[in-house]
Amino acid sequence: MKVQRITLREIRMPLVTPFETSFGRLTNRRMLIVEADVDGVSGWAESVAGEGPFYAPETVETAWHILRDFIWPVLKNRELNSASEVWGLLSPIRGHNMAKAAIESAVWDAEARQKGLPLWKLLGGVRNEIPCGVSIGIKETLDDLVLAVERELDAGYQRIKIKIKPGKDIEPVERLRQRFSRIRLMVDANSAYRIEDGPHLKRLDAYHLMMIEQPLGWDDLYGHAELQRKLDTPVCLDECIHTEEHARAAIELGACKIINIKLGRVGGYTPARRIHDLCQSKQIPVWCGGMLESGIGRAHNIALSTLENFSLPGDVTASRRYWIEDVIDPEVTVTPQGTIRVPAGPGIGYEPRFNRIEKLAARKEILQ
Ligand code: OSB
Ligand code: MG
């Protein structure tokens, strides 16, 4: 197979409600959507890079630049046996995993469509229903937070994750535990703390959290190992795990007990599956993180979540939580049991709404 053409589109959609993390507040999402024409079959994916380099070093702009100026020249006219070869071909390009993941997963979608198979089956997934949790942004007041959690529990979601930062950590957790004593609860700090905050974070042990996600520096494996030794609460790493080597180092150092895998952060399905397999062999459970994706990215997260060791509920949720109107058909929905039924159609199993995507495109570039 051959990638004949790549179409880059930047779409912009307002979030249903602003999303606040320790690194900022977002109201409008800019997303780079990649359409890869593989032998006349379109495969779709999105780069999850943010508007600014605040979660990870990449941005929408850098992803566009790397895709156009470095990735396309490697793939252009290249004969491929399968999408699994894309990651290796891109290895001379260091980093830029979100740019790589966008094209790599689009080629996987195209290959699955060519074969008439659901992508999750092509990947070796084992479940046709995935458990879902939600990520709740930092709220103005504790009452707002309680209301938001109530709403998500009523919708059926199986675990609640709240964003925390210094000054908004112990109190919200304490309040939620008073109100919802038995729910599966976790926190995500997005690197807002320093190792000196160890004794403060230790106070969270009293609330029986499933895990604390990425408390320390975005690339600080050593610090997380030091912290994990002091905490009973399991540390889960997100930002830190951008390569298979970092996953191995994190596990060997004891820097975490759980790993969040995001396709964009690790560079696509090939590295995601390797990290998944490594974690499985070391008895480290994984779950699929989210990046406020459009339905296209959401569909890929669903496919990834079918792999065996994705045993914990991920941040993969209904389209409606973020978008008034999504860019896929049907939109992603969640059952009252807090699960998503994995679609049976070919590729990602949802149809990109071409006209809507074209209309939303603030910018477009065709590479051929
Ligand atoms: O750390 O998991 C994160 C959103 C943007 C950047 C980083 C993160 C998040 C989320 C949202 O937690 C997860 C979602 O898409 O629902
Ligand atoms: Mg996170």
Side-chain angles (χ1 to χ4, degrees), residues 285-329:
V286 303
W287 54 277
C288 182
M291 289 291 290
L292 313 176
E293 289 93 344
S294 81
I296 291 173
R298 236 157 255 281
H300 280 285
N301 290 343
I302 293 166
L304 181 66
S305 302
T306 66
L307 299 183
E308 193 171 17
N309 193 36
F310 281 80
S311 52
L312 297 170
D315 284 342
V316 186
T317 62
S319 300
R320 284 286 163 91
R321 290 189 67 251
Y322 290 112
W323 317 117
I324 293 168
E325 193 182 345
D326 206 339
V327 298
I328 50 164
D329 191 27

Side-chain angles (χ1 to χ4, degrees), residues 134 136 147-158 160 321:
V134 285
I136 297 178
L147 279 176
V149 170
E150 216 153 45
R151 182 165 356 103
E152 305 297 3
L153 291 171
D154 285 347
Y157 286 103
Q158 298 185 13
I160 301 290
R321 290 189 67 251

Side-chain angles (χ1 to χ4, degrees), residues 226-368:
E226 205 177 327
L227 180 68
Q228 179 68 93
R229 282 195 294 275
K230 296 175 185 150
L231 299 184
D232 297 326
T233 306
V235 170
C236 168
L237 289 178
D238 174 352
E239 282 89 328
C240 273
I241 309 298
H242 34 85
T243 61
E244 187 187 358
E245 293 79 9
H246 271 52
R248 188 179 300 281
I251 295 168
E252 296 304 328
L253 280 167
C256 63
K257 293 180 179 165
I258 299 168
I259 286 179
N260 162 336
I261 298 181
K262 291 177 179 167
L263 277 172
R265 200 189 63 235
V266 303
Y269 285 108
T270 297
R273 284 201 300 187
R274 285 192 197 149
I275 293 171
H276 162 275
D277 294 352
L278 168 71
C279 289
Q280 190 162 26
S281 74
K282 302 282 183 180
Q283 273 110 45
I284 299 285
V286 303
W287 54 277
C288 182
M291 289 291 290
L292 313 176
E293 289 93 344
S294 81
I296 291 173
R298 236 157 255 281
H300 280 285
N301 290 343
I302 293 166
L304 181 66
S305 302
T306 66
L307 299 183
E308 193 171 17
N309 193 36
F310 281 80
S311 52
L312 297 170
D315 284 342
V316 186
T317 62
S319 300
R320 284 286 163 91
R321 290 189 67 251
Y322 290 112
W323 317 117
I324 293 168
E325 193 182 345
D326 206 339
V327 298
I328 50 164
D329 191 27
E331 58 176 43
V332 177
T333 56
V334 166
T335 67
Q337 291 72 44
T339 63
I340 293 173
R341 295 215 180 84
V342 182
I348 56 175
Y350 297 84
E351 271 324 300
R353 293 172 58 185
F354 187 82
N355 293 334
R356 176 160 166 76
I357 294 169
E358 277 277 284
K359 221 168 82 193
L360 286 171
R363 172 158 65 133
K364 173 174 168 179
E365 189 168 350
I366 297 174
L367 308 170
Q368 58 189 353

Side-chain angles (χ1 to χ4, degrees), residues 13-14 25 27 43 55 79 91 107 119 134 155 160 180 186 195 216 220 222 233 236 248 271 288-289 291-292 328 344:
M13 294 200 292
R25 186 181 165 89
T27 38
Y55 162 82
E79 189 56 46
S91 66
V107 178
L119 174 56
V134 285
I160 301 290
F180 310 101
M186 60 173 287
I195 191 69
L216 306 180
D220 186 8
Y222 187 83
T233 306
C236 168
R248 188 179 300 281
C288 182
M291 289 291 290
L292 313 176
I328 50 164

